[in-house]
Amino acid sequence: MYRAILTIGFVALASCPAGLCIAQASAAADAAGHVTVIRARALIDGTSAQPRANAQILIRGNRIAEVYTAGARPAPAGAQVIDLGAATLLPGLIDCHTHIFLQGEVPAAGGYDVQLLKFPASYRVARAIVAARRALEQGFTTIRDVETEGAGYGDVGVKQAINEGYIPGPRMFVVTRAISTTGGYNLEGYAPEIAVPKGAQLIDGPVEARKAAREQLDHGADWIKVYMTHRSWVDEQGALVSQPTLTVEELRAIVDEAHGWHRKVACHAYNGIGLQRALDGGCDSIEHGLEISDAQIAQMVRQGTWLVPTLAVYYYDHEPPDTPGGKRDRKRVAVHGVSFQKALRAGVKIAFGTDVGGFVWTDPIAQEFEREVEFGMTPMQAIQSATSRAAELLDMSAQLGRIAPGAYADLVAVESDPLTDIAALKNVSFVMKDGVVFKAP
Ligand SMILES: [Zn+2]
């Protein structure tokens, strides 16, 4: 809906006072039922096992109307034709685990704490807006942004501004503040006499848990995010240990409330007791799942629980190897790939997520695809994890993550074949969102 400010050459707009024209232009373009035809050498539709050669996509307004073989019939009169030549077209990509309010905090730059203690909310929102634009530039036309890290309901406003066409960005599913317990989230390590802000809404007991979920849903949360584990370390035996946070009863109150609103619950969980409580409490997606036992994998298959692994982020910024933090950082990587492979083999539903924001927004979000393939997905499975599978997680299967009639016209293209080189997805040359071209070769 940001066509008035960002469309590249395709939709001409008369000049008008800034702001005023944006909503008007969007409405006008929608009403006109702009018809576009896009063709490319190959098309990966998000659901089929094989790509389709020489396909052509007919788009009316912001929806895909038809997919057919090029040359089968002439383009409709007045249609704008976009020929992407030898490129490969795919559905707009979906990242199910982002943080537009994080900027890859490094300790040297003040780390996480400075975000909450020293930065004005307006500064954090400004950077979140840049992050949202970065997602779209990289071909991620939809994100599930899983908490604002102390920036309150800032994600709700950014999403609204994107949807109303004031700023460019992906479709957003937002969780607002996220939920953990006392002792279960940053900021911490300050004198007990000093009240410091927390990066999540802290609750104790099922009553507070339900109240927090209600507040967040009331203020615009599309999903609820819960931290089921917090601190982690390597014990004397060399095992990864993570501190559990919410009880099963607390989580059940949240899940019950969210499901009543027809919303879902994402649970950050590394392993062990916290991950078990997440599954027993009925969570809908396990985030990270660094070390999932065979029994837990079986339970996930049985319950239809999703896994959003976020593999790539754990390769960043390891502390020195001989420190507790350094040992932990290396152990996380060591167990994660194994866990992912086991889950994949067992048929756990896996959706693409990166934790970008945990690393800087200038790095390629699509590096996660390479890790998925490294740990056993075929390139097509990896692509589907960020298209049709991710859409399924979001309950948007008919609308997102596929190139098929009725779906939103969210499309990306890459110049080389991602099925032979998955890293090609790091260089998206064409991005269309909602039927409007945002980036073109
Ligand atoms: Zn995260």
Side-chain angles (χ1 to χ4, degrees):
M1 298 288 283
Y2 42 84
R3 53 190 54 127
I5 26 185
L6 281 159
T7 296
I8 305 167
F10 290 105
V11 180
L13 287 157
S15 64
C16 52
L20 190 65
C21 64
I22 295 169
Q24 289 172 349
S26 302
D30 286 339
H34 187 69
V35 178
T36 312
V37 171
I38 303 183
R39 63 168 76 111
R41 183 191 59 81
L43 180 148
I44 293 170
D45 68 10
T47 55
S48 305
Q50 297 299 326
R52 184 168 165 167
N54 296 311
Q56 207 153 287
I57 306 169
L58 176 69
I59 295 158
R60 292 189 189 281
N62 67 343
R63 300 271 183 175
I64 294 166
E66 240 184 295
V67 184
Y68 53 96
T69 304
R73 76 186 80 122
Q80 171 202 352
V81 177
I82 300 173
D83 190 340
L84 295 171
T88 299
L89 268 165
L90 306 97
L93 303 171
I94 303 170
D95 188 339
C96 298
H97 193 122
T98 66
H99 296 281
I100 60 169
F101 281 89
L102 285 181
Q103 309 297 336
E105 287 67 28
V106 289
Y112 180 90
D113 292 16
V114 70
Q115 297 275 335
L116 282 74
L117 293 174
K118 296 199 170 172
F119 295 159
S122 53
Y123 176 77
R124 295 195 65 196
V125 170
R127 296 186 78 186
I129 288 169
V130 174
R133 181 183 179 136
R134 284 290 300 145
L136 192 57
E137 282 171 355
Q138 297 185 57
F140 288 84
T141 52
T142 299
I143 59 174
R144 186 184 60 158
D145 198 71
V146 285
E147 88 139 317
T148 60
E149 311 285 356
Y153 293 90
D155 50 358
V156 175
V158 171
K159 172 187 161 178
Q160 183 180 349
I162 290 170
N163 290 348
E164 292 178 0
Y166 292 103
I167 54 170
R171 299 177 193 282
M172 285 182 68
F173 292 80
V174 300
V175 315
T176 74
R177 301 179 62 190
I179 297 170
S180 190
T181 57
T182 296
Y185 212 72
N186 307 326
L187 305 181
E188 48 201 14
Y190 294 85
E193 293 78 14
I194 301 173
V196 290
K198 297 289 181 180
Q201 188 168 4
L202 304 188
I203 59 91
D204 294 291
V207 173
E208 287 185 14
R210 188 180 290 272
K211 186 164 192 290
R214 284 176 178 161
E215 278 177 19
Q216 294 180 8
L217 291 162
D218 185 33
H219 291 309
D222 301 306
W223 274 70
I224 297 292
K225 160 84 173 286
V226 181
Y227 283 89
M228 293 303 294
T229 63
H230 179 46
R231 295 172 177 84
S232 64
W233 62 92
V234 173
D235 72 9
E236 282 292 307
Q237 288 71 42
L240 181 70
V241 182
S242 60
Q243 165 215 350
T245 52
L246 280 77
T247 63
V248 173
E249 290 68 32
E250 287 166 338
L251 179 59
R252 280 210 183 114
I254 291 166
V255 170
D256 181 62
E257 188 65 30
H259 286 182
W261 292 58
H262 288 237
R263 302 285 160 77
K264 289 163 130 181
V265 179
C267 288
H268 166 113
Y270 273 12
N271 67 351
I273 300 167
L275 199 154
Q276 189 59 47
R277 290 181 187 171
L279 296 177
D280 293 344
C283 94
D284 297 293
S285 70
I286 295 287
E287 308 297 307
H288 317 302
L290 296 187
E291 190 176 38
I292 317 176
S293 72
D294 292 349
Q296 288 169 336
I297 285 172
Q299 188 174 356
M300 290 178 77
V301 171
R302 207 163 56 240
Q303 295 182 180
T305 314
W306 287 86
L307 173 62
V308 181
T310 74
L311 297 162
V313 69
Y314 293 102
Y315 290 81
Y316 276 86
D317 300 326
H318 289 180
E319 290 179 37
D322 50 349
T323 62
K327 285 182 189 143
R328 189 273 316 266
D329 292 346
R330 282 158 186 79
K331 187 70 183 178
R332 288 196 299 202
V333 168
V335 296
H336 202 183
V338 178
S339 205
F340 176 88
Q341 282 168 333
K342 284 206 259 182
L344 180 64
R345 274 201 300 273
V348 171
K349 299 189 289 186
I350 299 176
F352 182 97
T354 64
D355 223 352
V356 57
F359 60 89
V360 290
W361 283 90
T362 44
D363 280 359
I365 301 171
Q367 63 180 302
E368 181 75 14
F369 287 110
E370 293 167 87
R371 295 293 179 191
E372 286 184 327
V373 170
E374 177 185 340
F375 292 110
M377 276 189 172
T378 64
M380 191 61 102
Q381 278 179 311
I383 289 168
Q384 291 181 353
S385 78
T387 54
S388 57
R389 296 298 269 170
E392 199 184 330
L393 167 71
L394 297 170
D395 290 327
M396 293 288 286
S397 281
Q399 324 244 29
L400 300 176
R402 64 184 57 209
I403 300 177
Y408 285 120
D410 291 359
L411 302 166
V412 300
V414 290
E415 296 305 313
S416 51
D417 180 7
L419 297 177
T420 52
D421 176 20
I422 194 71
L425 293 169
K426 290 199 265 192
N427 295 301
V428 166
S429 59
F430 173 85
V431 179
M432 170 181 272
K433 182 195 149 204
D434 218 29
V436 179
V437 175
F438 172 71
K439 180 178 180 180

